[in-house]
Amino acid sequence: MSTTTKPASQPGKIKQTHDRAHDVLRSDGHPEDASGAPQIIAVGRMSKLHRRDEAELAVLIHDGFQHLGLGTELYRRLIAVARDEKLRRLRSTVLSENHEMLAICQKLGFRLHADMEDGTIRAELDL
């Protein structure tokens, strides 16, 4: 599956590559790259937990492409893959100060559990 989209506030094309474990978004001619070469701007990853019907989700979005809905879209796509794979639960570990990621998790139905020892929030979604 491959698509091309262009966020309204960013120049160049964004291309997506996808497999059953992760999504990678690339931008042609990112303004911070003088060479004009395609740059990875976002990565979403789903890692199945060994011998369990659960997986860990994570996304990383380049600073210049945050707040455009890419993290939410990557999570939605990975959740769909997890459902196709018949997984029972997804989880993410989020730093407590990462309010944007916590908002994405809440919007998508994850339950949030604070871990006071290490300052993280465990987000879980039952499928």
Coordinates of all heavy atoms in Angstrom, one line a residue, residues 45-127:
R45 N 5.6 2.4 14.4 CA 6.0 1.0 14.5 C 5.1 0.3 15.5 O 4.8 0.8 16.5 CB 7.5 1.0 15.0 CG 8.0 -0.4 15.2 CD 9.5 -0.4 15.4 NE 10.0 -1.6 14.9 CZ 10.6 -1.8 13.7 NH1 10.8 -0.8 12.9 NH2 11.0 -2.9 13.3
M46 N 4.8 -1.0 15.1 CA 4.1 -1.9 16.0 C 5.0 -3.1 16.2 O 5.3 -3.8 15.2 CB 2.8 -2.3 15.3 CG 2.0 -3.3 16.2 SD 0.4 -3.8 15.4 CE 0.9 -4.8 14.1
S47 N 5.3 -3.4 17.4 CA 6.2 -4.5 17.7 C 5.3 -5.5 18.6 O 4.9 -5.2 19.7 CB 7.4 -4.1 18.5 OG 8.1 -3.2 17.8
K48 N 5.1 -6.7 18.0 CA 4.4 -7.7 18.7 C 5.2 -8.2 19.9 O 6.4 -8.3 19.8 CB 4.1 -8.9 17.8 CG 3.0 -8.6 16.8 CD 2.7 -9.9 16.0 CE 1.7 -9.7 14.9 NZ 1.4 -10.9 14.2
L49 N 4.5 -8.5 21.0 CA 5.2 -9.0 22.2 C 5.3 -10.5 22.1 O 4.4 -11.2 21.7 CB 4.5 -8.6 23.5 CG 4.3 -7.1 23.7 CD1 3.5 -6.8 24.9 CD2 5.7 -6.4 23.8
H50 N 6.4 -11.0 22.4 CA 6.8 -12.4 22.2 C 5.7 -13.3 22.9 O 5.4 -13.1 24.1 CB 8.2 -12.7 22.8 CG 8.6 -14.1 22.5 ND1 8.8 -14.6 21.3 CD2 8.9 -15.1 23.4 CE1 9.2 -15.9 21.4 NE2 9.3 -16.2 22.6
R51 N 5.2 -14.2 22.2 CA 4.2 -15.2 22.7 C 3.0 -14.6 23.3 O 2.4 -15.2 24.2 CB 4.9 -16.2 23.6 CG 5.9 -17.0 23.0 CD 6.5 -18.1 23.9 NE 7.5 -18.8 23.3 CZ 8.0 -19.9 23.7 NH1 7.5 -20.5 24.8 NH2 8.9 -20.5 23.0
R52 N 2.6 -13.5 22.9 CA 1.4 -12.8 23.4 C 0.6 -12.2 22.3 O 1.1 -12.0 21.2 CB 1.8 -11.7 24.4 CG 2.5 -12.2 25.6 CD 3.0 -11.2 26.5 NE 1.9 -10.7 27.3 CZ 2.1 -9.8 28.3 NH1 3.3 -9.3 28.5 NH2 1.1 -9.5 29.0
D53 N -0.7 -12.0 22.5 CA -1.5 -11.4 21.4 C -1.6 -9.9 21.7 O -2.7 -9.3 21.7 CB -2.9 -12.0 21.3 CG -3.6 -12.1 22.6 OD1 -3.1 -11.7 23.7 OD2 -4.8 -12.5 22.6
E54 N -0.5 -9.3 22.0 CA -0.4 -7.9 22.3 C 0.8 -7.3 21.5 O 1.7 -8.0 21.1 CB -0.1 -7.6 23.8 CG -1.2 -8.2 24.7 CD -0.9 -7.9 26.2 OE1 0.0 -7.1 26.5 OE2 -1.7 -8.5 27.0
A55 N 0.8 -5.9 21.4 CA 1.9 -5.3 20.7 C 2.1 -3.9 21.3 O 1.2 -3.3 21.9 CB 1.6 -5.1 19.2
E56 N 3.3 -3.4 21.1 CA 3.7 -2.1 21.6 C 3.7 -1.1 20.3 O 4.2 -1.5 19.3 CB 5.1 -2.1 22.1 CG 5.7 -0.8 22.6 CD 5.2 -0.4 24.0 OE1 4.8 -1.3 24.8 OE2 5.3 0.8 24.3
L57 N 3.1 0.0 20.5 CA 3.1 1.0 19.4 C 4.0 2.2 19.7 O 4.1 2.6 20.9 CB 1.7 1.6 19.2 CG 0.6 0.6 18.7 CD1 -0.7 1.4 18.4 CD2 1.0 -0.1 17.4
A58 N 4.6 2.8 18.7 CA 5.4 4.0 18.9 C 5.4 4.8 17.6 O 5.3 4.2 16.5 CB 6.8 3.7 19.3
V59 N 5.4 6.1 17.7 CA 5.6 7.0 16.5 C 6.6 8.0 16.8 O 6.9 8.4 18.0 CB 4.3 7.7 16.1 CG1 3.2 6.7 15.7 CG2 3.8 8.6 17.2
L60 N 7.3 8.5 15.8 CA 8.2 9.5 15.8 C 8.0 10.4 14.7 O 8.0 10.0 13.5 CB 9.7 9.0 15.8 CG 10.8 10.0 15.8 CD1 10.8 10.7 17.2 CD2 12.1 9.3 15.7
I61 N 7.8 11.7 14.9 CA 7.4 12.7 13.9 C 8.5 13.8 13.9 O 8.8 14.3 15.0 CB 6.1 13.4 14.1 CG1 5.0 12.3 14.4 CG2 5.7 14.3 13.0 CD1 4.6 11.4 13.3
H62 N 9.1 14.1 12.8 CA 10.1 15.2 12.7 C 9.4 16.5 13.2 O 8.3 16.8 12.9 CB 10.4 15.3 11.2 CG 11.5 16.3 10.9 ND1 11.3 17.7 11.0 CD2 12.8 16.2 10.6 CE1 12.4 18.3 10.7 NE2 13.4 17.4 10.5
D63 N 10.2 17.3 13.9 CA 9.7 18.5 14.5 C 8.9 19.4 13.5 O 7.9 20.0 13.8 CB 10.8 19.3 15.2 CG 11.3 18.7 16.4 OD1 10.6 17.8 17.0 OD2 12.4 19.1 16.9
G64 N 9.5 19.5 12.3 CA 8.8 20.4 11.3 C 7.5 19.9 10.8 O 6.8 20.6 10.0
F65 N 7.1 18.7 11.1 CA 5.9 18.1 10.6 C 4.9 17.7 11.7 O 4.0 17.0 11.5 CB 6.2 16.9 9.7 CG 6.8 17.3 8.4 CD1 8.1 17.5 8.2 CD2 6.0 17.4 7.3 CE1 8.7 17.8 7.0 CE2 6.5 17.8 6.0 CZ 7.9 18.0 5.9
Q66 N 5.2 18.2 12.9 CA 4.3 17.9 14.0 C 3.1 18.8 13.9 O 3.0 19.8 13.3 CB 5.0 18.1 15.4 CG 6.1 17.0 15.6 CD 6.7 17.1 16.9 OE1 6.4 17.8 17.8 NE2 7.7 16.2 17.1
H67 N 2.0 18.3 14.6 CA 0.7 19.1 14.7 C 0.0 19.1 13.3 O -0.8 20.0 13.1 CB 0.9 20.5 15.3 CG 1.7 20.5 16.5 ND1 1.1 20.0 17.7 CD2 2.9 20.9 16.8 CE1 2.0 20.1 18.7 NE2 3.1 20.6 18.2
L68 N 0.2 18.2 12.5 CA -0.4 18.1 11.2 C -1.3 16.8 11.1 O -1.9 16.5 10.1 CB 0.6 18.0 10.0 CG 1.5 19.2 9.9 CD1 2.5 19.0 8.8 CD2 0.6 20.5 9.6
G69 N -1.4 16.1 12.2 CA -2.2 14.9 12.3 C -1.5 13.6 11.8 O -2.1 12.5 11.7
L70 N -0.2 13.7 11.6 CA 0.5 12.5 11.1 C 0.6 11.4 12.2 O 0.4 10.2 11.9 CB 1.9 12.9 10.7 CG 2.0 13.8 9.5 CD1 3.4 14.2 9.2 CD2 1.3 13.2 8.3
G71 N 0.8 11.8 13.4 CA 0.9 10.8 14.5 C -0.4 10.1 14.7 O -0.5 8.9 14.9
T72 N -1.5 10.9 14.7 CA -2.9 10.3 14.8 C -3.1 9.3 13.7 O -3.6 8.2 13.9 CB -3.9 11.3 14.8 OG1 -3.7 12.2 15.9 CG2 -5.3 10.7 15.0
E73 N -2.8 9.7 12.4 CA -3.0 8.8 11.3 C -2.2 7.6 11.3 O -2.7 6.5 11.0 CB -2.8 9.6 10.0 CG -3.0 8.8 8.7 CD -4.5 8.3 8.6 OE1 -5.4 8.9 9.2 OE2 -4.7 7.3 7.9
L74 N -0.9 7.7 11.7 CA -0.1 6.5 11.9 C -0.6 5.6 12.9 O -0.7 4.3 12.7 CB 1.4 6.9 12.2 CG 2.2 7.5 11.1 CD1 3.5 8.0 11.6 CD2 2.4 6.5 10.0
Y75 N -1.1 6.1 14.1 CA -1.7 5.2 15.1 C -2.9 4.6 14.6 O -3.1 3.4 14.8 CB -2.0 6.0 16.4 CG -1.0 5.8 17.5 CD1 0.4 5.8 17.2 CD2 -1.4 5.5 18.7 CE1 1.3 5.6 18.2 CE2 -0.5 5.3 19.7 CZ 0.9 5.3 19.5 OH 1.8 5.1 20.5
R76 N -3.8 5.3 13.9 CA -5.0 4.7 13.3 C -4.7 3.5 12.4 O -5.3 2.5 12.4 CB -5.8 5.7 12.6 CG -6.6 6.6 13.5 CD -7.6 7.5 12.7 NE -8.3 8.3 13.6 CZ -8.4 9.6 13.5 NH1 -7.8 10.3 12.5 NH2 -9.1 10.3 14.4
R77 N -3.7 3.7 11.5 CA -3.3 2.7 10.6 C -2.8 1.5 11.3 O -3.0 0.3 10.9 CB -2.4 3.2 9.5 CG -3.0 4.2 8.6 CD -2.0 4.8 7.7 NE -2.7 5.9 6.9 CZ -2.7 5.9 5.6 NH1 -2.0 5.0 4.9 NH2 -3.3 6.9 4.9
L78 N -1.9 1.7 12.3 CA -1.3 0.6 13.0 C -2.4 -0.2 13.9 O -2.3 -1.4 14.0 CB -0.2 1.0 13.9 CG 1.0 1.5 13.1 CD1 2.1 2.2 14.0 CD2 1.7 0.4 12.3
I79 N -3.4 0.6 14.4 CA -4.5 -0.1 15.1 C -5.2 -1.0 14.1 O -5.6 -2.1 14.5 CB -5.4 1.0 15.8 CG1 -4.7 1.6 16.9 CG2 -6.7 0.4 16.2 CD1 -5.3 2.9 17.5
A80 N -5.5 -0.5 12.9 CA -6.2 -1.3 11.9 C -5.4 -2.6 11.6 O -6.0 -3.7 11.5 CB -6.4 -0.5 10.7
V81 N -4.1 -2.5 11.5 CA -3.2 -3.7 11.3 C -3.3 -4.6 12.4 O -3.5 -5.8 12.2 CB -1.7 -3.2 11.0 CG1 -0.8 -4.5 11.0 CG2 -1.6 -2.5 9.7
A82 N -3.3 -4.1 13.6 CA -3.4 -4.9 14.8 C -4.7 -5.7 14.9 O -4.8 -6.9 15.2 CB -3.2 -4.1 16.1
R83 N -5.8 -5.0 14.5 CA -7.1 -5.7 14.4 C -7.1 -6.8 13.4 O -7.6 -7.9 13.6 CB -8.2 -4.7 14.1 CG -8.5 -3.8 15.4 CD -9.8 -3.0 15.2 NE -10.1 -2.4 16.4 CZ -10.2 -1.1 16.6 NH1 -9.9 -0.2 15.7 NH2 -10.5 -0.6 17.8
D84 N -6.5 -6.5 12.2 CA -6.4 -7.5 11.1 C -5.6 -8.7 11.6 O -5.8 -9.9 11.2 CB -5.7 -6.9 9.9 CG -6.6 -6.0 9.1 OD1 -7.8 -5.9 9.4 OD2 -6.0 -5.3 8.3
E85 N -4.6 -8.5 12.5 CA -3.7 -9.5 13.0 C -4.3 -10.2 14.2 O -3.7 -11.1 14.8 CB -2.4 -8.9 13.4 CG -1.6 -8.3 12.3 CD -0.9 -9.4 11.4 OE1 -0.5 -10.4 12.0 OE2 -0.8 -9.2 10.2
K86 N -5.6 -9.8 14.6 CA -6.3 -10.4 15.7 C -5.6 -10.2 17.0 O -5.7 -11.1 17.9 CB -6.6 -11.9 15.4 CG -7.2 -12.2 14.1 CD -8.7 -11.7 14.1 CE -9.4 -12.2 12.8 NZ -9.9 -11.2 12.0
L87 N -4.9 -9.1 17.2 CA -4.3 -8.9 18.5 C -5.4 -8.5 19.5 O -6.4 -7.9 19.1 CB -3.2 -7.8 18.4 CG -2.0 -8.1 17.5 CD1 -1.0 -7.0 17.4 CD2 -1.3 -9.4 18.0
R88 N -5.1 -8.7 20.7 CA -6.1 -8.4 21.8 C -5.9 -7.0 22.4 O -6.8 -6.4 22.8 CB -5.9 -9.5 22.9 CG -6.9 -9.4 24.0 CD -6.8 -10.6 25.0 NE -5.5 -10.7 25.5 CZ -5.0 -10.1 26.6 NH1 -5.8 -9.3 27.3 NH2 -3.8 -10.3 27.1
R89 N -4.6 -6.6 22.5 CA -4.3 -5.3 23.2 C -3.1 -4.6 22.6 O -2.2 -5.3 22.2 CB -4.0 -5.6 24.7 CG -3.7 -4.3 25.5 CD -3.5 -4.6 26.9 NE -4.8 -5.0 27.5 CZ -4.9 -6.0 28.4 NH1 -3.9 -6.7 28.8 NH2 -6.1 -6.3 28.8
L90 N -3.1 -3.3 22.6 CA -2.0 -2.5 22.2 C -1.6 -1.6 23.4 O -2.4 -1.3 24.2 CB -2.4 -1.6 21.0 CG -2.7 -2.3 19.7 CD1 -3.2 -1.3 18.7 CD2 -1.5 -3.0 19.2
R91 N -0.3 -1.3 23.4 CA 0.2 -0.5 24.5 C 1.2 0.5 24.0 O 1.9 0.2 23.0 CB 0.6 -1.3 25.7 CG 1.8 -2.2 25.4 CD 2.3 -2.9 26.6 NE 1.5 -3.9 27.1 CZ 1.8 -4.8 27.9 NH1 3.0 -4.8 28.5 NH2 1.0 -5.8 28.3
S92 N 1.4 1.6 24.7 CA 2.4 2.6 24.4 C 2.9 3.1 25.7 O 2.1 3.3 26.6 CB 1.9 3.7 23.5 OG 1.6 3.3 22.2
T93 N 4.2 3.4 25.7 CA 4.7 4.1 26.9 C 5.1 5.5 26.5 O 5.8 5.7 25.5 CB 6.0 3.4 27.4 OG1 5.7 2.1 27.7 CG2 6.6 4.1 28.6
V94 N 4.5 6.5 27.2 CA 4.6 7.9 26.8 C 5.2 8.7 27.9 O 4.7 8.5 29.1 CB 3.2 8.5 26.4 CG1 3.3 9.9 25.9 CG2 2.5 7.6 25.4
L95 N 6.1 9.6 27.7 CA 6.6 10.5 28.7 C 5.5 11.4 29.2 O 4.6 11.9 28.4 CB 7.7 11.4 28.2 CG 9.0 10.6 27.8 CD1 10.0 11.6 27.2 CD2 9.6 10.0 29.1
S96 N 5.4 11.6 30.5 CA 4.2 12.3 31.1 C 4.2 13.8 30.5 O 3.1 14.3 30.5 CB 4.3 12.3 32.6 OG 5.5 12.9 33.0
E97 N 5.3 14.3 30.1 CA 5.2 15.7 29.6 C 4.9 15.8 28.1 O 4.7 16.9 27.5 CB 6.6 16.4 29.8 CG 7.8 15.8 29.1 CD 8.5 14.8 30.0 OE1 8.0 14.4 31.1 OE2 9.6 14.5 29.6
N98 N 4.7 14.6 27.4 CA 4.4 14.6 26.0 C 2.8 14.7 25.9 O 2.1 13.7 25.5 CB 4.9 13.3 25.3 CG 4.8 13.3 23.8 OD1 4.1 14.2 23.3 ND2 5.5 12.4 23.2
H99 N 2.3 15.9 26.1 CA 0.9 16.1 26.1 C 0.2 15.8 24.8 O -0.9 15.3 24.7 CB 0.6 17.6 26.5 CG 1.1 17.9 27.9 ND1 0.7 17.3 29.0 CD2 2.2 18.6 28.2 CE1 1.4 17.8 30.1 NE2 2.3 18.6 29.6
E100 N 0.9 16.1 23.7 CA 0.3 15.8 22.3 C 0.1 14.3 22.1 O -1.0 13.9 21.7 CB 1.2 16.4 21.2 CG 1.4 17.9 21.2 CD 2.4 18.4 22.1 OE1 3.1 17.7 22.8 OE2 2.6 19.7 22.2
M101 N 1.1 13.5 22.5 CA 0.9 12.1 22.3 C -0.2 11.5 23.3 O -0.9 10.6 22.9 CB 2.3 11.4 22.6 CG 2.3 9.9 22.1 SD 2.1 9.8 20.3 CE 0.8 8.7 20.2
L102 N -0.2 12.0 24.5 CA -1.3 11.6 25.4 C -2.6 12.0 24.9 O -3.6 11.2 25.0 CB -1.0 12.2 26.8 CG 0.2 11.7 27.5 CD1 0.5 12.6 28.8 CD2 0.1 10.2 27.8
A103 N -2.8 13.1 24.2 CA -4.0 13.5 23.6 C -4.4 12.6 22.5 O -5.6 12.2 22.4 CB -4.0 15.0 23.2
I104 N -3.5 12.2 21.7 CA -3.7 11.3 20.6 C -4.2 10.0 21.2 O -5.2 9.4 20.7 CB -2.5 11.0 19.7 CG1 -2.2 12.3 18.9 CG2 -2.6 9.8 18.8 CD1 -0.8 12.2 18.2
C105 N -3.5 9.5 22.2 CA -4.0 8.2 22.8 C -5.4 8.3 23.4 O -6.2 7.4 23.2 CB -3.0 7.8 23.9 SG -1.4 7.2 23.2
Q106 N -5.7 9.3 24.1 CA -7.0 9.5 24.6 C -8.1 9.6 23.5 O -9.1 9.0 23.6 CB -7.1 10.8 25.5 CG -6.4 10.6 26.8 CD -6.6 11.8 27.7 OE1 -6.3 12.9 27.3 NE2 -7.1 11.5 28.9
K107 N -7.8 10.3 22.5 CA -8.7 10.5 21.3 C -9.0 9.1 20.7 O -10.1 8.9 20.2 CB -8.1 11.5 20.3 CG -9.0 11.6 19.1 CD -8.5 12.7 18.1 CE -7.0 12.9 18.0 NZ -6.7 13.9 16.9
L108 N -8.0 8.3 20.7 CA -8.2 7.0 20.0 C -8.7 5.9 21.0 O -8.8 4.7 20.6 CB -6.9 6.5 19.4 CG -6.4 7.5 18.2 CD1 -5.1 7.0 17.7 CD2 -7.5 7.5 17.1
G109 N -9.0 6.2 22.2 CA -9.6 5.3 23.1 C -8.7 4.6 24.1 O -9.1 3.6 24.7
F110 N -7.4 4.9 24.1 CA -6.5 4.2 25.0 C -6.8 4.6 26.5 O -7.2 5.8 26.7 CB -5.1 4.7 24.7 CG -4.4 4.0 23.5 CD1 -4.8 4.4 22.3 CD2 -3.5 3.1 23.7 CE1 -4.2 3.9 21.1 CE2 -2.9 2.5 22.6 CZ -3.3 2.9 21.3
R111 N -6.7 3.7 27.4 CA -6.7 4.0 28.8 C -5.3 4.4 29.3 O -4.3 3.8 28.8 CB -7.2 2.8 29.6 CG -8.6 2.4 29.4 CD -9.0 1.1 30.3 NE -7.9 0.2 30.5 CZ -7.7 -0.8 29.6 NH1 -8.3 -0.9 28.5 NH2 -6.7 -1.7 29.8
L112 N -5.2 5.4 30.1 CA -3.9 5.9 30.6 C -3.7 5.5 32.0 O -4.5 5.7 32.9 CB -3.8 7.4 30.4 CG -4.1 8.0 29.0 CD1 -4.0 9.5 29.0 CD2 -3.2 7.3 28.0
H113 N -2.4 5.1 32.3 CA -2.0 4.7 33.7 C -0.7 5.3 34.0 O 0.3 5.0 33.2 CB -1.9 3.1 33.8 CG -3.1 2.4 33.3 ND1 -4.2 2.2 34.0 CD2 -3.3 1.8 32.1 CE1 -5.1 1.5 33.3 NE2 -4.6 1.3 32.1
A114 N -0.6 6.1 35.0 CA 0.6 6.8 35.4 C 1.6 5.8 36.1 O 1.2 5.0 36.9 CB 0.4 8.0 36.2
D115 N 2.9 5.9 35.8 CA 3.9 5.2 36.5 C 4.8 6.3 37.2 O 5.6 7.0 36.6 CB 4.8 4.4 35.6 CG 5.8 3.6 36.3 OD1 6.2 3.9 37.5 OD2 6.3 2.6 35.8
M116 N 4.5 6.5 38.5 CA 5.2 7.6 39.2 C 6.7 7.4 39.3 O 7.4 8.4 39.5 CB 4.5 7.8 40.6 CG 3.1 8.1 40.5 SD 2.8 9.6 39.5 CE 1.4 10.2 40.2
E117 N 7.2 6.2 39.3 CA 8.6 5.9 39.5 C 9.4 6.5 38.4 O 10.5 7.0 38.6 CB 8.8 4.4 39.7 CG 8.4 3.9 41.0 CD 8.7 2.4 41.1 OE1 9.7 1.9 40.5 OE2 8.0 1.7 41.9
D118 N 9.0 6.3 37.1 CA 9.8 6.7 36.0 C 9.2 7.9 35.2 O 9.8 8.3 34.2 CB 10.2 5.6 35.1 CG 9.0 4.9 34.4 OD1 7.9 5.4 34.5 OD2 9.2 3.9 33.7
G119 N 8.1 8.5 35.6 CA 7.5 9.6 35.0 C 6.9 9.3 33.6 O 6.9 10.2 32.7
T120 N 6.5 8.1 33.4 CA 5.8 7.8 32.2 C 4.4 7.4 32.4 O 3.9 7.2 33.5 CB 6.5 6.5 31.5 OG1 6.4 5.4 32.3 CG2 8.0 6.8 31.2
I121 N 3.7 7.4 31.2 CA 2.3 7.0 31.2 C 2.2 5.8 30.3 O 2.7 5.8 29.2 CB 1.4 8.1 30.7 CG1 1.6 9.5 31.4 CG2 -0.1 7.7 30.7 CD1 1.1 9.5 32.8
R122 N 1.5 4.8 30.8 CA 1.3 3.6 30.0 C -0.1 3.7 29.4 O -1.1 3.9 30.1 CB 1.4 2.3 30.9 CG 1.3 1.0 30.1 CD 1.4 -0.2 31.0 NE 0.2 -0.4 31.8 CZ 0.1 -0.3 33.1 NH1 1.2 0.0 33.8 NH2 -1.0 -0.5 33.7
A123 N -0.2 3.7 28.1 CA -1.5 3.8 27.4 C -1.8 2.4 26.9 O -0.9 1.7 26.3 CB -1.3 4.8 26.3
E124 N -3.0 1.9 27.1 CA -3.5 0.6 26.7 C -4.8 0.7 25.9 O -5.7 1.5 26.4 CB -3.6 -0.3 27.9 CG -2.3 -0.7 28.5 CD -2.5 -1.7 29.7 OE1 -3.6 -1.9 30.1 OE2 -1.5 -2.2 30.1
L125 N -4.9 -0.1 24.9 CA -6.1 -0.1 24.1 C -6.5 -1.6 23.9 O -5.7 -2.4 23.3 CB -5.9 0.5 22.7 CG -7.1 0.5 21.8 CD1 -8.3 1.4 22.3 CD2 -6.7 1.0 20.4
D126 N -7.7 -2.0 24.4 CA -8.2 -3.3 24.2 C -8.9 -3.3 22.8 O -9.7 -2.4 22.5 CB -9.2 -3.7 25.3 CG -8.5 -3.9 26.6 OD1 -7.3 -4.4 26.6 OD2 -9.1 -3.6 27.7
L127 N -8.6 -4.3 22.0 CA -9.2 -4.4 20.7 C -10.3 -5.3 20.6 O -10.5 -6.2 21.4 CB -8.1 -4.8 19.7 CG -6.9 -3.9 19.6 CD1 -5.8 -4.4 18.6 CD2 -7.3 -2.5 19.1

